[in-house]
Amino acid sequence: MTTSVGTAVPKPWYRVLYVQVLFAIVLGVIVGWLFPHLATNDWVKALGDGFIKLIRMVIAPIIFCTVVSGISHIQDARKVGRVGVKALVYFEVISTFALVIGLVIGNLVQVGQGLSEKGNAAAVASFAKQAEAQKSVDFVLNIIPDSVVGAFAKGDILQVLLFAILFGFALMAMGQRGEKLRDIIDETSHAIFGVIGIVMKAAPFGAFGAMAYTIGKYGPEALGNLVGLIALFYATAGLFVVLVLGTIARIAGFNIFRFIAYIKDELLIVLGTSSSESALPQLMEKLERLGCSKPVVGLVVPTGYSFNLDGTNIYMTLATLFIGQALGVHLSFGDQITILVVAMLTSKGASGVTGAGFITLAATLTVVNPALVPGMAIVFSIDKFMSEVRAITNIIGNGVAAVVVAWWEGELDRTALNAGLRKQIDPSDVQTAVTTG
């Protein structure tokens, strides 16, 4: 429900989804630990599996709408000359860095090891056999759907992606004639995210079922692996922000830590909602006050929410490797390159809403190796603990992108930038610097 900030009435703590999920996870651990026979009951397992099916139900339409919308709106880049091209080049380079860092850390620190011996070897072997039966040429040809309707009906993500990319470019070429259709697709996207909002109300039940079954099946020692994945993701995201974004910020002439301090209010909003999109209006306003030109901010930040999701990229590669290690599915170098390419595409369908990272993970696993899909239940049980860091990393990455592209384009007010990052407290002081500088 949307209410104005001034009249918003806080929910009782027990009605907050975050609290409900935390309670469900703790309850799942207790039930899985003390009552393993009950926790491994088919109906308990069905709670987690059912929630995953609800999420997978909307993957194809979400990816279609968000990718088409993102590409078709790139026509706005023509209004600001080279800014759009520079932004997209920047997004792809930085997104690749995020994916590679996730792969490197996931291979160096294999926190998923130790669960494989207790996995369903027969099911994994059957999935692996199906994967091996498909030749490379078959994989490429399978990207092209026999029919668009068939691609959506089967939920084949790569086929939907291919059609979405082609449709997006065709809609972009239509210019003004395609404006009504773009609006329809945008509104459809909002409606689908509304469906996700409804589905997310079942998250506590899914979290309970997934955690109880995981602990009941693999034993309490599984907590060590899960906590290890959370800690590894936190550390990797921090490493990316400090080293990669910090280096880029230094090249552009500002300090990453002062920038983080400048947008601390927006980061707190993101922390509370697990959605980087919740702070979008405030972030854009602050970036303009920081000296970035309005056209650059207006293009880079919204586009970044579809094309520059660094936290989501790190999460997808780390979680995919973790699931492979946990289920005993060997991922060769070629498989990992496939993860890199597929994740680069599927992440474009990840909006800033809660749960989007898990949706894109599902899409990536489905394409990379069907044997990995059952492991989604393991990761889902702790997904809530990682969603905040995903969203925070995403918003920092998009904020840095706006400043860097403005600097690259020569549309950055250095006086306002220095004043804003130096004071960091009162944004109105920065506005004064803009008007007087």
Side-chain angles (χ1 to χ4, degrees):
M1 180 180 296
T2 302
T3 58
S4 64
V5 176
T7 60
V9 178
K11 292 181 180 179
W13 63 270
Y14 55 85
R15 294 187 60 187
V16 177
L17 183 62
Y18 182 88
V19 175
Q20 293 175 352
V21 171
L22 285 178
F23 179 77
I25 289 172
V26 173
L27 185 61
V29 171
I30 295 173
V31 171
W33 190 352
L34 300 180
F35 309 100
H37 294 294
L38 173 64
T40 52
N41 181 279
D42 288 343
W43 284 104
V44 174
K45 183 176 184 294
L47 291 175
D49 292 346
F51 182 77
I52 291 172
K53 289 188 70 174
L54 286 171
I55 292 294
R56 293 181 68 185
M57 172 181 71
V58 294
I59 289 176
I62 276 180
I63 287 183
F64 174 78
C65 289
T66 51
V67 171
V68 169
S69 177
I71 292 176
S72 63
H73 281 294
I74 294 177
Q75 64 177 337
D76 293 336
R78 299 170 185 172
K79 300 178 182 178
V80 291
R82 300 174 300 274
V83 175
V85 174
K86 289 180 177 179
L88 291 177
V89 170
Y90 175 89
F91 292 159
E92 295 310 307
V93 171
I94 301 306
S95 295
T96 301
F97 269 112
L99 290 166
V100 170
I101 284 179
L103 284 176
V104 171
I105 299 298
N107 280 291
L108 291 177
V109 187
Q110 301 188 5
V111 292
Q113 294 291 352
L115 293 178
S116 58
E117 293 182 2
K118 297 183 179 181
N120 190 334
V124 171
S126 112
F127 279 121
K129 187 174 181 181
Q130 294 174 29
E132 290 173 1
Q134 188 180 51
K135 300 177 182 178
S136 298
V137 65
D138 296 328
F139 175 80
V140 173
L141 288 176
N142 190 53
I143 296 175
I144 306 172
D146 293 326
S147 72
V148 174
V149 175
F152 281 91
K154 293 186 297 181
D156 193 309
I157 303 306
L158 279 185
Q159 293 183 356
V160 173
L161 272 172
L162 175 63
F163 178 68
I165 291 170
L166 295 175
F167 195 90
F169 277 113
L171 193 56
M172 180 182 68
M174 290 178 66
Q176 282 294 115
R177 291 181 300 140
E179 185 174 352
K180 290 184 178 179
L181 185 53
R182 278 193 297 273
D183 291 340
I184 291 174
I185 291 175
D186 289 343
E187 292 305 316
T188 302
S189 178
H190 293 152
I192 296 172
F193 281 126
V195 173
I196 290 183
I198 297 172
V199 170
M200 289 304 293
K201 294 183 183 301
F205 299 99
F208 168 77
M211 181 59 83
Y213 183 78
T214 298
I215 301 302
K217 182 178 179 65
Y218 301 116
E221 61 270 19
L223 283 174
N225 296 84
L226 299 178
V227 171
L229 176 60
I230 295 172
L232 185 63
F233 177 59
Y234 280 35
T236 306
L239 192 68
F240 174 82
V241 170
V242 173
L243 292 185
V244 178
L245 296 183
T247 300
I248 293 170
R250 179 173 292 274
I251 293 173
F254 65 99
N255 183 282
I256 188 65
F257 296 107
R258 289 190 175 185
F259 180 78
I260 292 173
Y262 177 72
I263 61 170
K264 61 182 181 299
D265 293 340
E266 288 66 41
L267 296 181
L268 288 175
I269 293 174
V270 170
L271 183 64
T273 61
S274 302
S275 169
S276 53
E277 206 166 56
S278 59
L280 177 61
Q282 300 96 310
L283 177 66
M284 294 179 70
E285 181 185 6
K286 273 198 170 182
L287 287 171
E288 289 178 29
R289 289 177 174 178
L290 199 59
C292 300
S293 70
K294 189 179 183 68
V296 170
V297 173
L299 175 64
V300 173
V301 176
T303 307
Y305 274 76
S306 287
F307 289 87
N308 186 43
L309 299 170
D310 303 323
T312 303
N313 286 330
I314 295 171
Y315 165 79
M316 283 196 293
T317 48
L318 268 183
T320 301
L321 290 178
F322 174 85
I323 290 173
Q325 294 158 10
L327 296 181
V329 178
H330 174 68
L331 295 173
S332 65
F333 179 76
D335 291 331
Q336 296 191 34
I337 295 299
T338 302
I339 293 172
L340 194 71
V341 175
V342 172
M344 182 67 76
L345 292 173
T346 54
S347 66
K348 300 302 180 283
S351 180
V353 300
T354 304
F358 189 70
I359 294 170
T360 53
L361 174 64
T364 303
L365 294 180
T366 302
V367 175
V368 172
N369 190 336
L372 300 175
V373 175
M376 286 171 56
I378 302 174
V379 175
F380 171 70
S381 63
I382 56 167
D383 183 72
K384 181 60 183 175
F385 294 106
M386 295 189 283
S387 61
E388 286 86 355
V389 176
R390 277 201 307 264
I392 286 175
T393 307
N394 289 343
I395 191 173
I396 294 174
N398 282 317
V400 170
V403 178
V404 170
V405 173
W407 164 73
W408 190 3
E409 186 63 15
E411 296 189 18
L412 177 64
D413 186 332
R414 185 68 64 177
T415 302
L417 176 70
N418 292 336
L421 297 187
R422 184 171 60 250
K423 295 180 181 179
Q424 303 172 15
I425 298 175
D426 186 2
S428 63
D429 293 339
V430 184
Q431 181 63 49
T432 302
V434 174
T435 56
T436 60

